[in-house]
Amino acid sequence: MATMLGQSDPANSPLGRMLLDEITPVVMVLRTPLIEEACLKNGLNLVELLTPFSSFNNIDVPVRTASDQPYRLQKFKLRLCYASDIRQPNLEVAKERLKEVITHAGEKDFSNLCSDPPRIEDVLSSPESQILPSWFQFFNKELVRSLSFSDHEAFDHPVACLLVVSTKDEQPLNRFVDLFNTNQLPSLLNDGVMDPKILKYYLLVHDNQDASSEKADKILTEMRSTFGSSDCRLLYINSSQDGSVEHKDNPWVPFKNNASFSQPLGCFLNIDDFSEMKDLMQDFSSKHIIPHMEQKIRVLNQQVSATRKGFRNQIKNLWWRKGKEDTPEASNGPMYTFSSIESQIRVLADYAFMLRDYELALSNYRLLSTDYKLDKALKRYAGVQEMMGLTYFLLDQSRKEAEYCMENAFNTYFKLGSSGQQNATRCGLWWVEMLKTRDQYKEAASVYFRLSGEEPLHSAVMLEQASYCYLFSKPPMLHKYGFHLVLSGDHYKKCDQIKHAIRTYRGALSVYQGTMWSYIKDHVHFHIGKWYAFLGMFDVAVPHMLEVLTCGHQSKTTQDLFLREFLQIVQQTGKKFDVFKLQLPAINIPSVKVIFEDNRTYASPAAASVRESLWQSLEEDVIPSLPTIRTNWLESQPKNISKNHKQSNLCVTGEAIKVDVEFKNPLQIPISISNVSLICELSVSSEETDSDANSSTSELQSDETSRKLIISREQASNNSFTLSEADFSLGGGERNMVQLTVTPRIEGILKVVGVRWKLSDCMVGFHNFESNIVKKKIAKGRRKAKHSPSDNMTFLVIKSLPKLEGSIHHLSEKVYAGDLRRLVLELRNQSEFPVKNVKMKISSPRFLNVGSREILNTEFPACLEKKTDPEQVHANHNKKSQTVFLFPEDTLIQGGTPFLWPLWLRAAVPGNIPLYITIYYEMGEISNHMRYRTLRMYHNLQVLPSLDLSFRISFCPSRLKEFLVRMDAVNKTTSESFQIHQLSSVGNQWEISLLQPVETMIPSELMAGQALSCFFKLKNVRKSTTPEDKTSLLAHREGSDVKLGSDGSNETLFDVCSSPLADFHICERMHQEGSHQEHPNSVDFILISRPSKENINTGLPDPPRLFSHHISRCKIDSTSPIWWLMEGPRTINHNFSASFCEVKLKITLYNSSDSSASIFIQSLDSNPSTGQSSDVMAGSSGNQAGWYDASLVNDIKVTTDVLGMKPGKPPSMDSVSQFIWSGSSSIKVEVEPMSAAEVPLQVCVFSPGTYDLSNYALHWNLLSSKHEGSHGKCPGSPFYLTVLESA
């Protein structure tokens, strides 16, 4: 914005108008008591009567001061003052006056403070005149006037004296003389500060209500003959006889200090009186005051020019003042009388300033500034600097010089301390207006801030004015605006100006509202609330206190203070407040979950929290897709349901709708919450007419709802529905998920609106659920419903239906891996209507299986022991493909009678295992809305590690179809001990047995952290089978068992081929590593153990416990499906002198695969030089014929790879081989699956010795199409033959 000085006259600026009002000629008024009596008939004194006519906007008087060039004066004003008022105001009285001004302004503006604070956008768009409080200008004027008639300034010195006498006074001429008696003159005139020789003007006042004007004319003639004709004047007043004159635009109202008038002002003054007074003041100003000031200026200018101007006079003045630099500084310096040259120069400059000759004024101010500075008269020096700055401003010259002078004056006043404080304030106010005229609002704000001193009320006003300067800056400095308003409000509060404090804080609130400045925002709201409460305006205080309740960022002490003050204010109101969206405690609306039961019911809250998609996938095979069974209730809704409720959720009378609401305490201090309940509305279901509905108005009723709704509490008392209530306390920062319920008792349309609670038993808070963000358990099977946001919390309540309740007995939350338990499923139906066609599906048959009803009456684990009955019942393996368990067709559940069914639990693997069970049942033709329901059950099983098992199977080198089994067991628990009871091999192809007595191999118990390794013998007893035999083999998996308990002779074995062990083993095979196909060379093991007796003997009733560990598909350490064994004599005595020795051998071949195998045996030349079998010999280096020492290996030895074990390299022999294979050099045979064949061999030995007959190779190839490309080659197994020379 361009500077105003370049566009308009500085005299028209706010500062220019202020100077016109405050720095104008003063007229001292002396009057008789009768004058005041006549004037008071109009409710005015004499000064008040004449003041409206003492200001001229267009006086148009020519003025010629020191120069010969005249100019015309347009605006002019006189200040009329009684002689008694021409004195320096009392400082305390002035402060009280200013306090009255502020208090009155606060009372006047407070009516607007009950509304909402303005938005900062609206503030910024409003003009400056609407934003600034109107009383600022009046306050600043009063502050300036508190410095009137200072002894170091001349513009307050009276220019003239107006002597006023009534025609009713006795001897009026003598009264005029007596009025100017020195005893009645101001002390400033008598003390020599002011020139007592001033212009006198004699005014005779005649009251037209007292007598005729003849006497007045006679007295006027005498006055003119005595005092001069031009200095006397007659004024007629009170020309209205009845005193009923009413002035439309009363000119005295702005000048009347007291706003309440006992009578109309000027009621006896008519239009003629107006003209008389106007002419009087016009004539007095233009013909007397202004000419007198002109003459005075010219005379003084001549004197000053003769004594002070010119080079010689300046040198003389400096010489005369030389040496004063060493004198100490003083506030006023030496005493200057009105006749001193310094005082004359000041009068000259001030007169020139008041007559708008600013050039003349500035030159004299400069001259005087040097003198006062040399005299160290600081106060006078500051006053001259102040006037220089104002003169520069009005001349529209040198902004820098103007601001320098004002800064210099301001600092000098402050340097004087308390004696200059008031003058510094006036200087600062003029300086501020100068800066504001030039749009330097930021600099003006800093001056206001410097003006705020120690006096709180004065500081409050200055800080508030500084805040508005920051607001009007370009760009607006909003943070500083708000901050200074807060500072101002604090100072107002210290002075008990509560209403002003509220006003400034409300202004600051418009800045901080909606920002992240939490601390200062809390400070503002809290104090506004406290101050409103102090004034008794509790209804307005409570909303502000509510804003600071959730002050989690504050310290614990501050939070406690805020809450305590809030509760105290609420209690003082004497009533309970209902607050919408009360923030204490905080409601986590997005986490609100609605759990209700339609055709889906839940056995526990945990089951209701499971994802709907998981239940749907589990129930796909349970819910039949028949025309008589509708898969979603919406298809069967009756036609008389209103279209508005077609999308409503479905619930059943008497069944609770549960809403999980999370409450959080955002504070660090505890709070008490009580009477927490849902807000619900229930309308009686009917056709489109609702006239018969029993209803009343709900306090939270939607405006667009035409149906009459019943208030939650009234309906609850009328048995329309039942609400649950909760009371709890929340510690600092604590969260609490509360489940609230509403149970409808009648059919109709139920709407869950929100939640209500009571805070500290004094304030009721409520919060509506925003339906579009509430998470609900309402998925409708295969239907993807699109609910409107307004209806997804609405329920269609239908009549009561049967409902199954389910539980599982003996199911622990924490078990060890392998734990096998018998559980009992209990189902109840409290309804008199039965349910039928009950089906069940379990998500994890590996962990949970359905038992047969007969075992309910047997003891556990005796029901698992092997029976001597040859007709042992084995597991039904075909049942595993049936994922849905059908209860007997005659099953009916009703009347609260428990229905029990056994279940088997086995903790297969460690971890957190979820178990999901869904039970389907039908209800017949009870309802058109539902034909079936499902009961969903969920349990989380924590399985801890117990025994860690591993098995390793190796060939027995000396026995065909016999193997060595190593079992490693480690107890992974931290406190449990186990007794190993039984090891079983599954299937009828294997037979397991002990290698040594149990007592030497198995400890009595396996302690926590203990490891165990033991060996067993495994024999393959499987014979060749037909395809039909394979089927029966899979169906009837018998096995062999080994008792491992130390007192095993007294314990029976458990049947691993019967349910449930066999069923669990089949599931285990499906989940453990390996192909799901049967592999003929794999072995399955089941280890059964029991907890140590020390663990059981705790004195507490505990059901028997059994552990089963299943290891499947343990393969033999071999990559070849062909097993073989060379048989023959090991030692022979022969007489080599007679002939060479022929030894007959045979190789027994066994095909362990399920396909026919072609086997090719190739005997190799023993001479390494021939190179006939280099490829084979490379694979079995060192297997060469010859005579050398060799140690025999044991027949039974645990090795990593039996076939890979080779003897050490024999000594090299270059001679001819000492034995050869005789007969056919290669033999080819075909062996059927799971069959054996014998191949004869013959070797010829030529000399005694020990020979390794492993120099042969075995090639195999499987002939089945599914094993196409499966072939291999194996080197011969070591076979040592010792031939001795016979005698």
Side-chain angles (χ1 to χ4, degrees), residues 501-566:
I502 292 176
R503 180 178 54 79
T504 53
Y505 266 55
R506 278 167 50 90
L509 194 59
S510 64
V511 177
Y512 301 121
Q513 199 73 30
T515 66
M516 301 303 293
W517 298 328
S518 303
Y519 287 93
I520 192 168
K521 189 162 55 177
D522 290 346
H523 173 86
V524 171
H525 275 298
F526 175 69
H527 284 88
I528 291 178
K530 278 189 64 177
W531 295 336
Y532 272 125
F534 178 80
L535 297 176
M537 304 175 65
F538 300 106
D539 291 346
V540 188
V542 168
H544 287 281
M545 299 301 291
L546 286 172
E547 294 292 333
V548 302
L549 285 186
T550 56
C551 53
H553 51 276
Q554 297 281 2
S555 66
K556 187 175 182 180
T557 304
T558 305
Q559 293 175 10
D560 184 65
L561 172 65
F562 285 176
L563 182 59
R564 186 173 63 251
E565 290 287 345
F566 167 73

Side-chain angles (χ1 to χ4, degrees), residues 268-547:
F268 286 95
L269 302 174
N270 60 15
I271 189 63
D272 295 331
D273 298 333
F274 263 67
S275 300
E276 284 276 344
M277 290 184 288
K278 185 176 182 180
D279 292 343
L280 166 67
M281 299 310 295
Q282 175 87 14
D283 183 70
F284 183 45
S285 299
S286 60
K287 295 181 180 181
H288 296 82
I289 299 294
I290 296 176
H292 172 73
M293 294 178 68
E294 288 178 306
Q295 181 63 29
K296 185 82 170 180
I297 290 173
R298 287 193 290 269
V299 172
L300 291 175
N301 187 58
Q302 291 177 359
Q303 294 177 3
V304 173
S305 298
T307 58
R308 296 298 306 279
K309 294 185 179 180
F311 181 73
R312 170 187 277 181
N313 291 331
Q314 292 180 14
I315 294 298
K316 184 188 297 185
N317 181 59
L318 290 174
W319 180 264
W320 178 75
R321 297 181 188 275
K322 185 178 181 182
K324 292 186 178 183
E325 297 175 356
D326 299 331
T327 60
E329 295 180 350
S331 61
N332 288 326
M335 179 61 184
Y336 300 96
T337 62
F338 70 89
S339 60
S340 64
I341 187 61
E342 292 84 2
S343 297
Q344 296 296 319
I345 297 174
R346 180 61 195 249
V347 171
L348 170 60
D350 287 348
Y351 274 32
F353 188 92
M354 289 187 285
L355 290 183
R356 312 292 188 268
D357 190 350
Y358 298 122
E359 294 288 354
L360 178 61
L362 182 59
S363 65
N364 285 278
Y365 284 138
R366 285 174 176 169
L367 184 64
L368 193 58
S369 174
T370 304
D371 293 345
Y372 285 148
K373 188 175 183 180
L374 291 175
D375 292 345
K376 297 187 178 180
L378 298 183
K379 190 171 187 180
R380 294 176 182 271
Y381 170 74
V384 173
Q385 288 288 312
E386 184 179 4
M387 293 306 297
M388 288 175 62
L390 297 176
T391 307
Y392 276 121
F393 171 77
L394 292 172
L395 284 172
D396 196 9
Q397 294 178 0
S398 184
R399 292 185 180 182
K400 186 176 181 180
E401 288 293 334
E403 293 182 12
Y404 171 78
C405 291
M406 299 305 290
E407 172 83 21
N408 195 14
F410 187 80
N411 293 334
T412 305
Y413 279 133
F414 264 110
K415 189 176 181 181
L416 296 174
S418 59
S419 62
Q421 182 70 38
Q422 295 296 105
N423 296 90
T425 300
R426 184 191 66 183
C427 177
L429 292 177
W430 285 343
W431 187 13
V432 161
E433 293 299 330
M434 184 187 301
L435 295 171
K436 288 164 65 176
T437 303
R438 295 167 177 168
D439 284 343
Q440 296 177 276
Y441 285 99
K442 181 179 178 181
E443 292 77 6
S446 64
V447 176
Y448 272 130
F449 187 80
R450 294 168 67 181
L451 287 175
S452 59
E454 296 180 359
E455 204 282 313
L457 188 58
H458 174 84
S459 299
V461 180
M462 295 304 153
L463 288 170
E464 184 178 2
Q465 295 189 76
S467 70
Y468 289 107
C469 289
Y470 285 119
L471 178 66
F472 299 142
S473 300
K474 303 297 181 184
M477 305 174 72
L478 296 181
H479 188 41
K480 288 194 173 183
Y481 163 65
F483 180 71
H484 281 76
L485 281 177
V486 172
L487 290 178
S488 174
D490 289 339
H491 284 79
Y492 278 129
K493 174 60 176 62
K494 292 178 182 178
C495 304
D496 295 329
Q497 297 288 339
I498 303 297
K499 297 178 180 178
H500 280 294
I502 292 176
R503 180 178 54 79
T504 53
Y505 266 55
R506 278 167 50 90
L509 194 59
S510 64
V511 177
Y512 301 121
Q513 199 73 30
T515 66
M516 301 303 293
W517 298 328
S518 303
Y519 287 93
I520 192 168
K521 189 162 55 177
D522 290 346
H523 173 86
V524 171
H525 275 298
F526 175 69
H527 284 88
I528 291 178
K530 278 189 64 177
W531 295 336
Y532 272 125
F534 178 80
L535 297 176
M537 304 175 65
F538 300 106
D539 291 346
V540 188
V542 168
H544 287 281
M545 299 301 291
L546 286 172
E547 294 292 333

Side-chain angles (χ1 to χ4, degrees), residues 979-1047:
Q979 293 180 347
I980 308 300
H981 176 76
Q982 171 183 339
L983 176 64
S984 301
S985 62
V986 181
N988 57 0
Q989 105 181 66
W990 303 100
E991 183 180 284
I992 192 168
S993 59
L994 295 172
L995 278 178
Q996 52 187 325
V998 174
E999 294 79 5
T1000 62
M1001 183 174 60
I1002 305 296
S1004 59
E1005 61 181 34
L1006 194 61
M1007 308 293 291
Q1010 186 178 356
L1012 168 69
S1013 296
C1014 52
F1015 296 89
F1016 302 90
K1017 184 171 68 175
L1018 184 68
K1019 186 175 182 179
N1020 189 315
V1021 296
R1022 189 171 186 180
K1023 300 178 181 180
S1024 179
T1025 56
T1026 63
E1028 293 77 9
D1029 295 332
K1030 292 181 182 180
T1031 302
S1032 61
L1033 190 64
L1034 292 173
H1036 188 67
R1037 299 178 67 93
E1038 295 182 355
S1040 62
D1041 310 298
V1042 175
K1043 257 184 209 182
L1044 300 179
S1046 58
D1047 53 349

Side-chain angles (χ1 to χ4, degrees), residues 696-744:
S696 62
T697 305
S698 171
E699 57 182 323
L700 298 176
Q701 179 176 344
S702 174
D703 294 337
E704 62 188 25
T705 305
S706 59
R707 185 186 300 273
K708 297 179 180 179
L709 300 172
I710 304 175
I711 298 177
S712 299
R713 298 186 182 278
E714 293 182 356
Q715 285 185 316
S717 62
N718 294 334
N719 294 325
S720 297
F721 55 76
T722 303
L723 294 172
S724 67
E725 286 194 351
D727 300 332
F728 55 90
S729 295
L730 288 176
E734 183 181 355
R735 295 174 182 263
N736 188 13
M737 181 68 77
V738 179
Q739 187 170 87
L740 305 173
T741 63
V742 53
T743 306

Side-chain angles (χ1 to χ4, degrees), residues 131-149:
I131 299 174
L132 280 175
S134 59
W135 59 272
F136 275 177
Q137 186 177 4
F138 184 69
F139 173 85
N140 291 339
K141 285 184 178 182
E142 290 293 327
L143 199 58
V144 170
R145 288 171 183 171
S146 66
L147 290 172
S148 301
F149 309 108

Side-chain angles (χ1 to χ4, degrees), residues 873-882 1035 1057-1059 1062-1063 1066:
V873 177
H874 296 276
N876 182 7
H877 302 283
N878 293 331
K879 188 183 72 172
K880 294 296 101 181
S881 62
Q882 302 173 1
C1057 299
S1058 300
S1059 179
D1063 296 336
I1066 293 173

